[in-house]
Amino acid sequence: MKYTVHLKDDSYPITIERNAIQKIHETMNTQRKIAIIADDGVPQKWVDCVYQQCENAFILRFKQGEASKCFATYESLLKQLIEHQMSRSDAVIAIGGGVTGDLAGFVASTYMRGIDFYNIPTTVLSQVDSSVGGKVAVDVGSYKNIVGAFWQPKAVIIDPNVLSTLSQRQINNGLVEALKTGLIQDETLVELFEQESLDIDQIIARSINVKRKVVEQDVKESNLRKILNFGHTIGHAIEGAYGLNTYLHGECVAMGMLFFIENKALKERVLRIYQRLELPEVPEYDVDTLMDYIVHDKKSHASTTTVVKVYEAGSYQLEELSHKALRELLEKRECYEK
Ligand SMILES: NC(=O)c1ccc[n+]([C@@H]2O[C@H](COP(=O)([O-])OP(=O)(O)OC[C@H]3O[C@@H](n4cnc5c(N)ncnc54)[C@H](O)[C@@H]3O)[C@@H](O)[C@H]2O)c1
Ligand SMILES: [Zn+2]
């Protein structure tokens, strides 16, 4: 399966195919000089597979985990590119999850004012969502993605086979972002989660295709792209307040979505899917603590926050909610009702 992200001069192909990782020359020039960047949790066999196809490449590894998405790792990677005498005409390949993609992409976007970047996502989250759209960034302290750029990859190569080494928890974590995408834009994608066996290839393809269309219409997140934040207002707050060592991002997004599914039958369907994905329940939370995170989120305004609501599977509504209304919503604790 192939899609093209249509962005005038920045257009690029997305390949979704089993074994695609073994034939990257079909989408990129493997003879040029290439820095392959991966965190140390990405299994060696996937990195080697890419490396062995390149004629003039070297591998840079960094420590796995969100904490590496920081200035220190960013600087260290840039210095290594300089040591390897990378020029403007050379390229970076990211192979890994969203952390590797965001970090390596930001390195590529700024090295010599920007060099070619290829993304080979290896987690479900990055395959269904983060690898497409060109948002690259690092965190500064507790401010996630606060410094970054829009830097579109030259190609995205998605091979579902690489998920064979990923833990079930990480798989389910990433599937939440695909379910989110379905809830706001594609009811068929939601239905895929209700079939007897999960067709992960189809889920990836449908999800990334919705992301592609949204990005095409709003590349800089001035409007439509905000819908992808469904579940993230409260999700990010739970992640910041209680998540750090307990929950994964997708697990928190799942919790956050429950507050904005405005239809009882749909909410029941979603809760059944959560059970299937063995997602954790919303923890006992303190309203003030969560409000603190919401108010200080970079997507919040002085006294309101734009939230995404879903009344029917596959469609969304954007609403400007006052912080007072958000507080009341948290106080109702409807998320505990089955
Ligand atoms: N740019 C965007 O549009 C966008 C969108 C959503 C999320 N993100 C970012 O994505 C990041 C989260 O990404 P993630 O969930 O992929 O986490 P991650 O990149 O940290 O990957 C999770 C873990 O899986 C390991 N791993 C990766 N591939 C593997 C494989 N095939 N087999 C076994 N282990 C493997 C990694 O080493 C890591 O330890 C966050 O930093 C978030 O901000 C970015
Ligand atoms: Zn997310």
Side-chain angles (χ1 to χ4, degrees):
M1 175 92 64
K2 261 195 193 289
Y3 295 113
T4 301
V5 186
H6 298 282
L7 296 172
K8 298 201 178 98
D9 291 349
D10 292 328
S11 297
Y12 54 96
I14 310 171
T15 305
I16 308 156
E17 198 184 306
R18 293 209 173 244
N19 300 318
I21 196 179
Q22 288 167 20
K23 35 192 181 184
I24 61 170
H25 65 272
E26 287 182 3
T27 21
M28 60 183 291
N29 173 0
T30 48
Q31 289 165 351
R32 61 202 297 199
K33 186 162 169 177
I34 295 169
I36 298 171
I37 301 183
D39 74 41
D40 61 10
V42 182
Q44 191 66 33
K45 63 174 172 178
W46 308 131
V47 179
D48 281 345
C49 175
V50 170
Y51 176 70
Q52 281 155 7
Q53 295 169 70
C54 300
E55 281 185 17
N56 182 15
F58 57 95
I59 299 169
L60 302 179
R61 291 278 206 164
F62 64 89
K63 196 164 169 271
Q64 63 187 302
E66 182 72 27
S68 288
K69 238 178 85 173
C70 65
F71 277 138
T73 322
Y74 167 70
E75 183 181 9
S76 150
L77 290 170
L78 286 172
K79 283 183 172 160
Q80 293 177 78
L81 295 192
I82 297 168
E83 278 161 21
H84 281 90
Q85 298 178 329
M86 290 283 280
S87 76
R88 285 226 59 182
S89 55
D90 300 331
V92 165
I93 297 181
I95 166 159
V99 165
T100 299
D102 282 13
L103 180 62
F106 188 47
V107 166
S109 77
T110 45
Y111 185 72
M112 293 189 168
R113 298 198 180 85
I115 62 173
D116 286 356
F117 170 53
Y118 293 86
N119 204 340
I120 306 181
T122 63
T123 60
V124 173
L125 184 133
S126 54
Q127 294 196 342
V128 303
D129 184 353
S130 68
S131 58
V132 165
K135 284 213 268 175
V136 296
V138 292
D139 308 329
V140 181
S142 62
Y143 295 93
K144 277 199 67 171
N145 303 319
I146 194 87
V147 175
F150 287 98
W151 192 247
Q152 301 296 335
K154 290 289 167 200
V156 176
I157 301 169
I158 299 175
D159 182 346
N161 283 346
V162 302
L163 303 175
S164 61
T165 49
L166 198 63
S167 70
Q168 193 59 48
R169 185 175 176 203
Q170 284 285 355
I171 290 175
N172 293 346
N173 172 59
L175 285 172
V176 172
E177 297 278 8
L179 177 63
K180 169 205 79 178
T181 305
L183 284 168
I184 52 178
Q185 286 277 271
D186 181 1
E187 185 170 15
T188 307
L189 178 48
V190 177
E191 287 164 359
L192 282 175
F193 283 88
E194 297 172 319
Q195 289 183 351
E196 209 167 307
S197 68
L198 280 188
D199 185 342
I200 193 117
D201 297 37
Q202 273 255 32
I203 289 176
I204 294 168
R206 286 199 86 93
S207 179
I208 210 70
N209 194 34
V210 172
K211 175 95 185 242
R212 170 189 74 82
K213 287 192 243 173
V214 171
V215 166
E216 282 177 353
Q217 289 171 67
D218 177 20
V219 72
K220 291 268 166 78
E221 195 168 335
S222 35
N223 202 355
L224 182 68
R225 206 166 159 173
K226 287 190 186 133
I227 67 174
L228 299 170
N229 293 323
F230 174 47
H232 283 61
T233 305
I234 293 177
H236 272 151
I238 295 175
E239 196 176 1
Y242 306 107
L244 281 185
N245 298 308
T246 317
Y247 305 119
L248 300 173
H249 172 73
E251 294 170 346
C252 297
V253 172
M255 298 175 195
M257 291 196 294
L258 288 179
F259 292 85
F260 298 108
I261 297 172
E262 309 285 328
N263 165 328
K264 199 160 185 287
L266 180 60
K267 197 167 158 187
E268 278 165 14
R269 273 174 79 188
V270 168
L271 282 170
R272 274 196 294 278
I273 297 171
Y274 285 7
Q275 258 176 1
R276 179 175 192 176
L277 300 180
E278 298 177 329
L279 298 172
E281 290 183 6
V282 183
E284 282 298 330
Y285 58 78
D286 175 56
V287 174
D288 287 331
T289 310
L290 293 190
M291 279 313 294
D292 247 16
Y293 278 91
I294 291 171
V295 171
H296 292 114
D297 191 287
K298 65 178 184 289
K299 295 193 172 83
S300 277
H301 316 291
S303 61
T304 61
T305 295
T306 313
V307 300
V308 186
K309 291 188 175 179
V310 169
Y311 290 84
E312 297 295 333
S315 66
Y316 66 90
Q317 209 158 300
L318 283 175
E319 275 177 38
E320 203 59 32
L321 268 197
S322 69
H323 291 157
K324 184 167 168 279
L326 264 168
R327 169 179 289 278
E328 282 163 11
L329 186 68
L330 285 171
E331 279 165 354
K332 276 203 223 149
R333 296 177 195 269
E334 270 172 338
C335 56
Y336 297 118
E337 285 169 22
K338 290 273 151 64

